[in-house]
């Protein structure tokens, strides 16, 4: 059962991304108002904004946390063609009375000539590594060789994907059996270019990223992509937000000889495909055990998906974008158990609601 | 008549709850909450929350081509209607025949030559000005601007009166427009530029877009284009205009009018409407013919400022909303004030009220909280732990199990399944298996029979492989003189297998009775009955069934089963056999089914029991060990093992044991469930070192530790590490920190080779040392004194007074805790930034009230340096 409550966000324009830190006690949001806000969860479970600052000179598309062992570090990317790395510092300006902390810019990554559409830190076992992708179709991978000095980032790899990139996802697997891997999605609207998802794998011998797989069946623009937390599984799972939600399973084929170079070959299976959002799907996100997937789409709803033991996926909950429940017939079949609060639709965007709206959703 | 099949829709500019639907007539609706007490039978449901009530209908104006709502609030509900003959009529709707409305309502404006009126537009600044766009008529003007409030020359009115078609309309008709524009042309669409340019009119003419300046009517800016339909000015960027042609939308910048800034992707079908969202910047909604989708173009980041530099990147996000599912949409209208709200109307006049949500971005936290952002709002959605009915996610299960110390019961191993919640048959089977395996190991250790050791934890598959000295016997039915058909097999390994299956207990006697009694106690009547039957004790079996029928929660039908059972005969061709053989397939309960399968099957062919997948694996394997010969048994166990491995079924651990095979099975289980917790604890139970070293096992353990860390279950993680190091001593990390003497550079730890493990905290490091030794206040190497505590100024090594520094009321409340920490208070700690430090207790109490370092002139904010250090573990309840 899920209970939705609203948080007074106080951004002056659309929020484009929201991201939790490793422990789920901090949260960062970014917006078209060119700012990033950092939120801390109090012991009572309330979120308090502890920092808010202008980060870019354009809409901020994405914000993401580094693993806490590298300190309190954020990266953001923007329409202004840059990505930036931020670190929380303790200093004179720290205002504990008002509960505000201070974030300073450690570096600006200016290599892109177009809007930087996504930014993601690599899994921590790879060190402090950051990937960005941009509208001109280039994925850039940066590394901070000295984790104590976040102002030094070197551009290690540039992967040209030929198509405008909209999203990237690192494979989170820390198993030594799996080479570092990154998936890239393209939002190019020309459906004649097939293969809107490309997967690149690091080759230990050539020290380069090489294309390991292209998902040719994905022909529509891809808006988001997410590798599932691996959690010791022998295969990889990739969720894709395009005109529908798709879940792919990538099973590494066992190599004959470990010495053979070249990228890993995969058996690619389409595990599930849902068009319940009716139209474009914008975001997908996995929970920590990759047993629950959340997606959002142009139907204005957040949908939760869950697989049973037999890998049959089904919808276990639907929430409208404003937190109110949906009780259409399709949903009630999925086990929705909701009381309808009235007037939810009429709550204007202008009025920032600090009140609570409770919704009850029961995973069926 | 086009409009009959294509209803259009208009929101009132002043009343947030009123709109008009026009096709052949005008219908005024009021929208309100659905299910309100006043809701009458006539209310139309528009959405879950809203319904519309019909307020008024006006069918005075036939042949409507276009409608425009009077922009002033008084008179309300005044509309201008353009007709097929070019005539423009002002008409009112509903009750408001107020004083002010009277003189406007009913006015008519008639062009010189009759032709279709394509479009109407009220001037937003001067509400008396109404522009009408007409079809072409020779060299006549096609854009007429009427002054609705003006006084018309009486003679003009007289002249036109006879032309009014019979109906005795007393109102005035005007023929003299204020301005006449667009000579020798047709006008397809019109709009006024916003308030700061009250005199500028944008018109889509036959082959061009034109801007007429009413201050100087000879002045006309125009650009040749086909995109002349549906001109619409962005209310948020007055210079931005959209117009369309066929399936193509062009976006213009009026300051650089030569060519479109960009065009949107072409639609397959012709467009019928394009409208900017009045409540949000840069959102254009478009509709194509016969579509059920309203396409939205989010142009927030398209260049709204000066364009022309080739660096501009128009970022347009295309979206689509289907307000009515598969219902075709005829027209739509944005709500003038409520954010992103629109009403759409279908050709059959059914309507739908909905809000276009912004693109939602979302994220899961490590503790299964979901947060999403929609527009400028944030929502958090937490899993409600109080819910029992729903199947919990494995992440939630693992958290709960970690809390209940699942996996840590090393004495009564089977109890771990209770710690796991006690409702998962696979986990239950797993821990019972491990329990029996451990029991046997302990026993063999006591008997000092080293040679049996290798078989334990290696599963029944390996045990039956080494089967030797099997003896056959034809047993009798207990309490009966008859010999049973079934041949039973015995052997040392088979006995061991039965023990691992839990059928027989420890000791030399092979008595199944204790097992039966425990099953009876748990109310597993069918299972107990079938186990008794497989042990050829039919009376006991019947007795169990009868007991089950009488028990409180028992099933009375068991009596019937008992009766059926008592009729057993080994006569091959009896009716009993025949009927039981066929009817048993209809039994729902797997154990009853297998009982009759056993009784009716030929000797040696027990597929009905062996492949009844609903019967627990341990019972089937035990059965196989009793009734299959060596060859059959080994084949059956191999087959079952492969099946279990494929399915990742933990019951199969009984067969594989904790061997490589077991890792394969567990891999399959983890692939299916993600439950690395069970995998880690299971593999740490008693696996051989090679198995624990398996990369997969290590990977599960690391992943489980990461999960615990992410949940801030640090204490659980530490306990897990301790548990792990007991079973896998190689996992113990080395001491992490040493303190060296300032003078001689040697470590000051006493016997540092055995330095105690100090944990992994980043913020503070302690140097161990038992309290007895801590009296030493000098370096054991060079006898120079150790540094002083920054607070008490004693040399380190001096026990800290537990009362020091603190005081105040909170001291008392902390007393029990303070005691617990007393040893810790003596520890030596320091800030690794400014390198000042002292007794841990003193330092902690100092920072309770201060943020800066206690050393003079040091401004280091030692306690705030590490954010992770300030997080509290979530499992120290």
């Amino acid at each position: 059962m899920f209970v939705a409550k609203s948080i007074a966000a106080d951004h002056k324009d659309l929020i484009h991304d929201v991201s939790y830190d490793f422990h789920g006690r901090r949260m960062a949001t970014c917006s078209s108002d060119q700012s990033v806000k950092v939120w801390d969860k109090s012991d009572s479970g309330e979120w308090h904004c502890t920092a808010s600052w202008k980060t870019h000179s354009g809409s901020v598309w994405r914000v993401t946390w580094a693993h806490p062992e590298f300190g309190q570090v954020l990266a953001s990317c923007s329409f202004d063609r840059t990505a930036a790395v931020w670190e929380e510092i303790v200093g004179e300006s720290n205002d504990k009375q008002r509960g505000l902390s201070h974030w300073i810019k450690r570096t600006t990554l200016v290599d892109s000539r177009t809007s930087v559409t996504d930014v993601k830190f690599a899994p921590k076992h790879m060190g402090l590594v950051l990937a960005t992708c941009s509208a001109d179709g280039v994925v850039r991978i940066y590394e901070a060789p000295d984790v104590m000095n976040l102002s030094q980032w070197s551009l290690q790899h540039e992967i040209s994907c030929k198509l405008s990139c909209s999203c990237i996802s690192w494979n989170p697997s820390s198993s030594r059996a799996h080479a570092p891997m990154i998936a890239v999605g393209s939002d190019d609207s020309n459906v004649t270019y097939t293969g809107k998802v490309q997967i690149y794998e690091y080759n230990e011998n050539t020290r380069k990223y090489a294309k390991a797989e292209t998902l040719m069946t994905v022909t529509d623009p891809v808006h988001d992509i997410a590798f599932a937390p691996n959690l010791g599984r022998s295969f990889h799972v990739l969720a894709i937000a395009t005109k529908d939600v798709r879940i792919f399973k990538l099973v590494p084929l066992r190599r004959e000889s470990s010495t053979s170079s070249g990228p890993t070959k995969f058996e690619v299976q389409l595990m599930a495909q849902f068009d319940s959002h009716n139209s474009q799907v914008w975001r997908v996100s996995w929970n920590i055990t990759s047993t629950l997937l959340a997606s959002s789409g142009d139907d204005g709803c957040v949908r939760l998906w869950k697989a049973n033991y037999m890998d049959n996926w089904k919808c276990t909950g639907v929430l409208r974008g404003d937190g109110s429940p949906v009780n259409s017939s399709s949903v009630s079949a999925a086990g929705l158990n909701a009381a309808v609060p009235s007037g939810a639709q009429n709550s204007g965007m202008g009025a920032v609601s600090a009140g609570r709206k409770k919704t009850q959703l029961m995973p069926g | 008549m086009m409009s009959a099949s294509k209803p259009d829709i208009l929101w009132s500019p002043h009343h947030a709850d009123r709109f008009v639907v026009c096709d052949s007539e005008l219908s005024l609706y009021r929208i309100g909450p659905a299910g309100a007490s006043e809701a009458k039978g006539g209310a139309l449901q528009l959405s879950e929350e809203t319904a519309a009530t019909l307020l008024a209908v006006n069918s005075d104006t036939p042949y409507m081509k276009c409608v425009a709502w009077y922009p002033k609030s008084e008179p309300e509900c005044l509309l201008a209607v353009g007709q097929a003959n070019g005539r423009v009529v002002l008409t009112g709707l509903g009750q408001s025949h107020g004083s002010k409305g009277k003189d406007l309502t009913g006015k008519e404006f008639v062009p010189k030559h009759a032709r279709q009126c394509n479009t109407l537009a009220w001037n937003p600044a001067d509400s008396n000005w109404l522009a009408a766009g007409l079809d072409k008529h020779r060299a006549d003007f096609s854009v007429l601007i009427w002054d609705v409030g003006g006084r018309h020359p009486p003679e003009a009115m007289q002249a036109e009166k006879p032309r009014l078609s019979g109906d005795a309309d007393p109102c005035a008709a005007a023929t003299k427009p204020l301005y006449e524009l667009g000579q020798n042309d047709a006008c397809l669409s019109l709009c006024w530029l916003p308030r700061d340019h009250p005199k500028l009119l944008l018109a889509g003419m036959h082959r061009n877009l034109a801007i007429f300046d009413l201050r100087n009517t000879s002045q006309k800016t125009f650009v040749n284009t086909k995109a002349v339909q549906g001109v619409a000015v962005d209310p948020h960027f007055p210079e931005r205009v959209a117009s369309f042609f066929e399936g193509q939308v062009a976006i213009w910048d009026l300051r650089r009018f030569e060519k479109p800034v960009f065009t949107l992707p072409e639609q397959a079908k012709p467009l019928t409407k394009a409208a900017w969202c009045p409540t949000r910047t840069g959102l254009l909604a478009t509709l194509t013919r016969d579509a059920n989708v309203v396409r939205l173009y989010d142009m927030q980041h398209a260049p709204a400022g000066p364009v022309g530099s080739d660096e501009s990147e128009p970022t347009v996000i295309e979206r689509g909303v289907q307000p009515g599912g598969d219902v075709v949409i005829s027209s739509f209208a944005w709500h003038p004030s409520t954010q992103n709200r629109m009403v759409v109307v279908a050709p059959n006049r059914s309507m739908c009220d909905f809000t276009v949500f912004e693109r939602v971005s979302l994220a899961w936290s490590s503790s299964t909280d979901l947060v999403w952002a929609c527009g400028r709002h944030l929502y958090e959605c937490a899993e409600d732990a109080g819910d029992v009915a729903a199947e919990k996610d494995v992440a939630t299960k693992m958290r709960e199990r970690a809390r209940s110390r699942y996996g840590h019961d090393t004495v009564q191993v089977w109890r771990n399944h209770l710690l796991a919640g006690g409702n998962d048959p696979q986990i239950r089977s797993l821990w019972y298996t491990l329990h029996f395996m451990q029991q046997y190991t302990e026993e063999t250790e006591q008997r000092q029979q080293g040679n049996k050791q290798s078989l334990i934890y290696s599963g029944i598959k390996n045990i039956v492989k080494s089967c030797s000295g099997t003896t056959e016997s034809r047993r009798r039915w207990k309490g009966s003189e008859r010999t049973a058909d079934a041949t039973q097999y015995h052997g040392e390994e088979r006995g061991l297998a039965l023990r691992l299956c839990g059928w027989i207990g420890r000791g030399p006697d092979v008595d199944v009775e204790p097992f039966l009694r425990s099953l009876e106690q748990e109310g597993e009547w069918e299972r107990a009955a079938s186990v008794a039957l497989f042990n050829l004790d039919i009376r006991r079996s019947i007795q169990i069934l009868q007991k089950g029928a009488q028990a409180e929660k028992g099933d009375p039908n068991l009596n019937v089963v008992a009766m059926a059972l008592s009729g057993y005969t080994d006569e091959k061709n009896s009716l009993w056999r025949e009927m039981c053989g066929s009817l048993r397939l209809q039994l729902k309960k797997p154990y009853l089914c297998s009982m009759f399968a056993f009784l009716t099957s030929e000797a040696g062919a027990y597929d009905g029991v062996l492949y009844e997948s609903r019967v627990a694996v341990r019972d089937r394997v035990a059965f196989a060990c009793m009734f299959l010969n060596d060859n059959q048994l080994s084949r059956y166990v191999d087959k079952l093992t492969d099946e279990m491995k494929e399915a990742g079924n933990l019951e199969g651990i009984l067969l594989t044991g904790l061997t490589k095979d077991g890792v394969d099975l567990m891999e399959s289980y983890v692939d299916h469930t993600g439950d690395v917790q069970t995998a880690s604890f299971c593999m740490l139970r008693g696996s051989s070192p090679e198995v624990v070293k398996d990369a997969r096992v290590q990977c599960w353990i690391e992943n489980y530790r990461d999960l615990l860390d992410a949940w801030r279950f640090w204490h659980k993680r530490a306990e897990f590490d301790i548990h792990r190091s007991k079973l896998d001593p190689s996992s113990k990390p080395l001491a992490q920190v040493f303190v060296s003497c300032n003078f001689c550079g040697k470590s000051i730890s006493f016997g540092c080779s055995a330095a105690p493990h100090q944990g992994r905290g980043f913020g503070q490091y302690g140097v161990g040392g038992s309290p007895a030794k801590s009296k030493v206040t000098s370096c054991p190497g060079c006898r120079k004194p150790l540094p002083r505590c920054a607070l008490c100024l004693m040399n380190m090594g001096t026990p800290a007074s537990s009362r020091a520094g603190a005081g105040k009321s909170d001291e008392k409340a902390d007393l029990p805790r303070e005691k617990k920490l007393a040893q810790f208070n003596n520890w030596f700690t320091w800030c690794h930034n400014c390198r000042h430090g002292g007794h841990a207790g003193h330092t902690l109490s100092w920072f309770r009230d201060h943020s800066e370092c206690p050393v003079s002139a040091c401004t280091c904010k030692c306690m705030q340096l590490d954010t992770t250090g300030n997080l509290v573990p979530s499992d120290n309840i």
Side-chain angles (χ1 to χ4, degrees), chain A residues 162-230:
Chain A
K162 309 284 194 297
L163 294 172
S164 162
C165 300
S166 56
C167 48
I168 44 179
S169 176
W170 286 98
N171 183 350
S173 171
S174 60
S175 163
R176 254 169 267 147
H178 304 142
M181 193 193 285
I182 189 165
V184 189
S186 166
D187 61 352
D188 193 301
S189 54
N190 191 336
V191 292
T192 54
Y193 300 134
T194 58
K196 294 282 162 57
V197 173
Q198 302 172 10
I199 297 165
Y200 294 87
E201 193 189 53
Y202 184 66
N203 187 315
E204 207 58 64
N205 298 329
T206 59
R207 300 187 176 188
K208 281 201 165 79
Y209 280 85
K211 197 185 279 181
E213 194 65 55
T214 306
L215 303 182
M216 299 305 285
T217 52
V218 183
T219 54
D220 291 281
V222 171
H223 307 293
D224 199 12
I225 192 166
F227 266 114
N230 174 269

Side-chain angles (χ1 to χ4, degrees), chain A residues 1 5 59 234 291 296 298, chain B residues 301 319 360 380 384 393 671:
Chain A
M1 194 192 282
K5 67 179 185 193
S59 287
S234 58
T291 42
S296 71
D298 262 342
Chain B
H301 310 287
R319 307 177 51 191
V360 172
E380 191 184 36
D384 189 347
D393 180 57
D671 282 355

Side-chain angles (χ1 to χ4, degrees), chain A residues 1 3 5 7 13-15 20 32 41 47 59 90 231-232 234 285 287 291 296 298 309 320-321 327 349, chain B residues 48 280 300-301 319-320 339 360 364 369 372 375-376 378 380-382 384 393 671 673-674 700 864 867:
Chain A
M1 194 192 282
V3 180
K5 67 179 185 193
I7 302 163
D13 209 332
L14 302 183
I15 301 171
Y20 278 110
S32 267
K41 198 173 199 170
W47 286 100
S59 287
V90 178
L231 215 66
S234 58
S285 174
N287 76 335
T291 42
S296 71
D298 262 342
Y309 284 110
R320 215 176 274 155
N327 42 351
M349 293 284 208
Chain B
E48 280 164 30
R280 180 185 174 295
Q300 214 189 10
H301 310 287
R319 307 177 51 191
Q339 182 108 26
V360 172
W364 285 103
D369 294 336
W372 75 86
R376 276 174 279 181
L378 271 177
E380 191 184 36
C381 184
D384 189 347
D393 180 57
D671 282 355
T673 62
W700 299 330
Q864 294 166 17
T867 319

Side-chain angles (χ1 to χ4, degrees), chain A residues 293-309:
Chain A
L293 179 74
S295 65
S296 71
D298 262 342
D299 59 349
C301 291
V302 173
R303 288 172 190 270
L304 307 180
W305 310 94
K306 187 175 183 176
N308 67 5
Y309 284 110

Side-chain angles (χ1 to χ4, degrees), chain B residues 45-352:
Chain B
Q45 187 87 12
L46 297 197
S47 69
E48 280 164 30
E49 289 90 19
T50 54
T53 326
L54 184 63
L55 293 182
V57 177
N58 180 336
S59 47
D60 298 344
T61 50
Y63 315 117
M64 278 190 285
K65 279 291 159 195
C66 48
V67 181
W69 204 304
Y70 187 58
K72 271 193 167 170
S73 56
E74 273 291 316
E76 57 184 22
C77 301
L78 181 74
L79 291 109
V81 177
Q83 291 174 307
N85 58 2
R87 190 177 298 215
V88 177
V89 183
L90 299 189
T91 186
L93 260 170
Q95 69 282 47
S96 69
H97 288 291
S99 52
K100 242 192 142 183
K102 262 292 193 236
D103 46 331
L104 286 174
T105 316
K107 272 193 179 176
E108 289 196 22
F109 307 93
V110 185
K112 259 183 262 162
H113 301 98
R115 57 249 157 94
Q116 180 166 306
C117 178
N118 289 322
T119 174
L120 286 171
W122 291 95
N123 187 313
D126 186 342
S127 59
N128 277 338
W129 288 12
L130 174 66
L134 303 153
D135 268 351
K136 185 174 170 176
H137 187 274
R138 299 203 184 120
D140 201 357
F141 296 95
S142 60
V143 180
L144 305 177
I145 296 167
W146 305 97
D147 182 0
V148 300
R151 283 153 302 278
H152 304 282
E155 62 272 23
M157 283 164 64
Q158 291 300 328
E160 289 305 314
K161 210 143 197 182
R163 290 178 62 176
L164 289 176
S165 51
D167 55 344
D169 201 334
C171 65
T175 52
K176 179 75 183 140
L178 206 58
Y179 296 95
E180 291 178 312
L181 305 158
Q183 194 165 19
N184 199 9
D185 208 344
C187 176
L188 295 168
S189 56
L190 273 177
C191 70
W192 293 91
L193 296 188
R195 292 189 173 277
D196 29 337
H197 315 287
K199 303 261 177 177
L200 292 181
L201 181 69
L202 177 72
M205 308 304 283
H206 183 45
R207 289 214 167 272
N208 57 54
L209 282 180
I211 301 172
F212 296 105
D213 188 343
L214 300 189
R215 292 163 294 195
N216 178 1
T217 47
S218 60
Q219 197 96 40
K220 177 177 131 183
T221 324
F222 72 96
V223 56
N224 287 331
T225 174
K226 282 181 171 175
V228 294
Q229 290 175 329
V231 289
V233 179
D234 185 342
H236 295 94
F237 291 102
E239 283 79 30
R240 188 154 69 181
V241 168
S243 71
F244 63 82
F245 161 72
E246 292 293 320
Q248 188 109 48
V249 178
I251 308 295
W252 306 84
D253 187 324
L254 297 184
R255 293 162 299 184
R256 300 177 141 265
F257 203 33
E258 308 89 51
K259 59 177 173 78
V261 183
F262 56 90
T263 55
L264 299 176
E266 186 153 359
Q267 301 292 319
K269 289 198 170 167
L271 290 150
T272 55
K273 186 159 186 172
W276 297 93
C277 178
T279 50
R280 180 185 174 295
T281 50
L283 189 65
L284 181 74
T286 67
L287 183 67
T288 55
R289 206 171 63 202
D290 304 330
N292 60 352
V293 185
V294 177
R295 296 219 169 273
L296 303 168
Y297 296 91
D298 191 344
M299 280 171 255
Q300 214 189 10
H301 310 287
V307 285
S309 59
D310 47 350
E311 289 181 291
S312 64
E313 314 156 43
T315 305
V316 182
I317 299 161
E318 183 180 332
R319 307 177 51 191
V321 287
Q322 288 184 9
D326 297 331
V327 180
V328 169
I329 300 162
S330 163
S331 185
F332 68 89
W334 288 108
H335 190 276
S337 54
T338 308
Q339 182 108 26
N340 287 11
R341 181 178 175 192
M342 62 163 66
V343 168
V344 298
V345 61
N348 65 357
R349 270 185 160 235
S350 69
M351 291 167 283
C352 176

Side-chain angles (χ1 to χ4, degrees), chain A residues 62-84:
Chain A
R62 301 264 195 168
V63 62
T64 187
W65 292 87
H67 191 275
E69 79 175 41
F70 302 112
Q72 294 297 308
V73 179
L74 279 174
S76 59
C77 67
S78 162
F79 183 63
D80 72 2
R81 302 171 202 172
T82 65

Side-chain angles (χ1 to χ4, degrees), chain B residues 730-765:
Chain B
S730 61
S731 69
K732 191 172 158 184
L734 297 170
Q736 287 162 317
V737 175
F738 299 94
V739 177
S740 68
C741 170
N742 261 341
F743 300 99
C744 66
K746 282 186 190 149
S747 167
I748 63 163
S749 316
F750 306 95
C752 58
S753 58
H757 173 201
Q758 299 292 345
R760 305 196 326 157
F762 290 104
Q764 288 135 359
Y765 299 94

